[in-house]
Amino acid sequence: MLARQTQNKALQWLGRQLFNRDDPAAFFDPLLEQVNPMWVQQYTPALVKQIINETSDTKTLVLKPAAHWEGFEAGQHVNICVEIDGVRHDRTFSLSSAPALWKKQGLVTLTIKRLPGGLVTNWIHDRLEAGTTIGLKEAFGEFRLPATPRPILFIAGGSGITPILSMLETMAADDYRAPVTLLYFVRTSSDIIAREKLEALASRYPALTLTIIITHESDEPRYLRESDLQAVPGLKARDVYMCGPGGLMDLAGSQLQNLGVKEDSIHKTFFAAPATVLDGGAVGGTVQFAKSQVEVSSEGDANLLEMAEAAGLSPRYGCRMGICHQCSCRKTSGTVINRITGQSSGPGEENIQLCVSVPQGPVSVEA
Ligand code: FES
């Protein structure tokens, strides 16, 4: 009887705790209380459990997101939010761990390279400490493994290895039964990210052929050659996944085309915005940001996000390279050129991404 009364009282107390909270989940997840309440609706809090030095300019953050975070597929990106000197900043990074680590231990990793002049990456390298809570959004992105196993060639450059690490860990764990080749390009041997992990993968996952190519340790730079690709067995039948600097991606793209690999077999993701060279005389215009009642003019190839910021507006953004869609906005009239594809939009209403849209004449957007 006493036990039953105690149990009832405990349930009543629990009910009161939940009822008195705006967000009942906060009661169960102490992480939710550690972040700016303004964040909680938009971001999942994630505790920085550990920071691992990978190379002199690359660190891996081991994060424990609050339990309601929805998880991800190998190869996807995530937006994080950090507060630097009272200002909130969003950035996009690839998840470098396999989804299994999240499912089994509730952990994910991000492997982040310091970018010259990069506000957020420098802050992460110099000031972020284990024990801090940062914000995390849900994962996104179409850089994902095929639904059924097919032979794959991965081409990675520098920190472009990060989504591929997640994919390889997943394939090894799932015993992905098809040939897999990784060509990994780095400037020097000290720039190899996760070297031990890659070597361990190659030894425990026999389907994987790992080749690391050092580009800048000899008299002449050693870039990707067609012979590297010709040496991959059954190249034309493979899906190709590429992530790295624009130069490597462009070179690989043209060599693969020369060797007869079909365009629709090639999957790319970026860690820096690829840019089509736009004719400065053919772009630029006056942009009306309708909600903000601001009008801005440009004569060069500034994108709409840069123009809005230059005018003191603060539109939402994440990756600034056309992959996260955080900056999506309704264009109500006018033509823009997509900085990545070089293609012009129609003149009418449609959704555009501010960060990759360059005006071509007068443009109105809803922002
Ligand atoms: S900020 Fe990510 S698509 Fe524009």
Side-chain angles (χ1 to χ4, degrees):
M1 183 67 181
L2 191 59
R4 193 183 190 112
Q5 282 175 346
T6 307
Q7 191 182 36
N8 283 343
K9 278 191 180 163
L11 285 172
Q12 283 166 7
W13 175 82
L14 180 62
R16 276 200 305 277
Q17 296 301 311
L18 293 176
F19 184 76
N20 289 336
R21 284 174 186 262
D22 291 335
D23 177 5
F27 177 70
F28 295 108
D29 205 332
L31 272 179
L32 287 172
E33 294 180 332
Q34 292 186 25
V35 293
N36 182 337
M38 298 281 287
W39 286 16
V40 170
Q41 288 182 344
Q42 293 173 7
Y43 299 94
T44 299
L47 179 69
V48 180
K49 295 277 289 180
Q50 193 185 358
I51 301 177
I52 300 165
N53 289 323
E54 298 283 357
T55 68
S56 62
D57 63 1
T58 304
K59 293 186 177 192
T60 291
L61 311 184
V62 182
L63 304 177
K64 184 168 183 54
H68 64 272
W69 191 65
E70 288 178 8
F72 66 105
E73 282 185 51
Q76 288 194 301
H77 310 281
V78 72
N79 278 10
I80 68 166
C81 173
V82 296
E83 204 165 284
I84 302 176
D85 299 330
V87 180
R88 201 177 85 174
H89 298 271
D90 289 33
R91 290 293 184 275
T92 305
F93 298 103
S94 294
L95 290 140
S96 53
S97 54
L101 185 69
W102 161 246
K103 286 178 194 148
K104 288 182 189 153
Q105 297 180 41
L107 299 175
V108 299
T109 67
L110 300 175
T111 300
I112 297 173
K113 182 174 169 138
R114 184 197 288 273
L115 298 177
L119 175 72
V120 172
T121 60
N122 279 290
W123 181 85
I124 286 170
H125 275 258
D126 297 334
R127 290 168 57 190
L128 181 63
E129 293 178 352
T132 306
T133 301
I134 64 173
L136 206 64
K137 293 203 95 172
E138 294 304 333
F140 64 93
E142 298 307 315
F143 193 68
R144 291 185 285 193
L145 291 169
T148 52
R150 297 170 47 79
I152 287 183
L153 166 62
F154 290 112
I155 302 174
S159 57
I161 193 67
T162 52
I164 293 170
L165 274 174
S166 172
M167 290 172 151
L168 288 173
E169 289 277 7
T170 302
M171 296 161 97
D174 294 352
D175 195 18
Y176 186 96
R177 301 238 169 169
V180 180
T181 297
L182 168 61
L183 301 179
Y184 179 27
F185 291 81
V186 287
R187 286 182 69 81
T188 70
S189 42
S190 56
D191 294 321
I192 301 170
I193 295 170
R195 177 180 211 148
E196 281 175 19
K197 196 176 278 185
L198 285 168
E199 287 171 352
L201 269 165
S203 66
R204 75 172 196 270
Y205 178 38
L208 173 63
T209 304
L210 168 66
T211 304
I212 297 177
I213 297 171
I214 311 288
T215 57
H216 285 78
E217 275 183 357
S218 48
D219 293 343
E220 289 289 310
R222 163 55 169 105
Y223 297 124
L224 175 68
R225 299 172 182 152
E226 273 194 18
S227 56
D228 297 325
L229 299 173
Q230 283 166 323
V232 177
L235 177 67
K236 282 195 205 169
R238 296 203 182 212
D239 275 10
V240 182
Y241 286 76
M242 303 199 284
C243 185
L248 173 64
M249 308 265 271
D250 291 347
L251 184 62
S254 67
Q255 292 183 355
L256 288 164
Q257 195 179 23
N258 293 344
L259 295 170
V261 175
K262 288 196 216 104
E263 182 75 33
D264 60 6
S265 308
I266 300 175
H267 314 266
K268 300 179 194 174
T269 194
F270 305 99
F271 60 75
T276 302
V277 179
L278 301 176
D279 175 358
V283 291
T286 301
V287 180
Q288 279 194 327
F289 295 92
K291 268 193 205 146
S292 318
Q293 299 187 314
V294 166
E295 194 173 279
V296 196
S297 292
S298 79
E299 288 177 5
D301 60 357
N303 63 50
L304 269 58
L305 180 59
E306 291 164 341
M307 291 173 73
E309 288 173 337
L313 305 181
S314 307
R316 283 181 61 77
Y317 68 84
C319 64
R320 301 185 80 102
M321 54 187 172
I323 53 176
C324 73
H325 291 266
Q326 293 260 321
C327 65
S328 287
C329 171
R330 193 82 181 151
K331 168 173 75 69
T332 49
S333 67
T335 302
V336 294
I337 297 186
N338 184 308
R339 170 119 238 161
I340 293 176
T341 62
Q343 291 188 336
S344 295
S345 71
E349 270 203 47
E350 62 189 310
N351 287 336
I352 57 167
Q353 292 157 279
L354 295 177
C355 71
V356 293
S357 298
V358 177
Q360 195 174 31
V363 171
S364 292
V365 293
E366 283 182 351

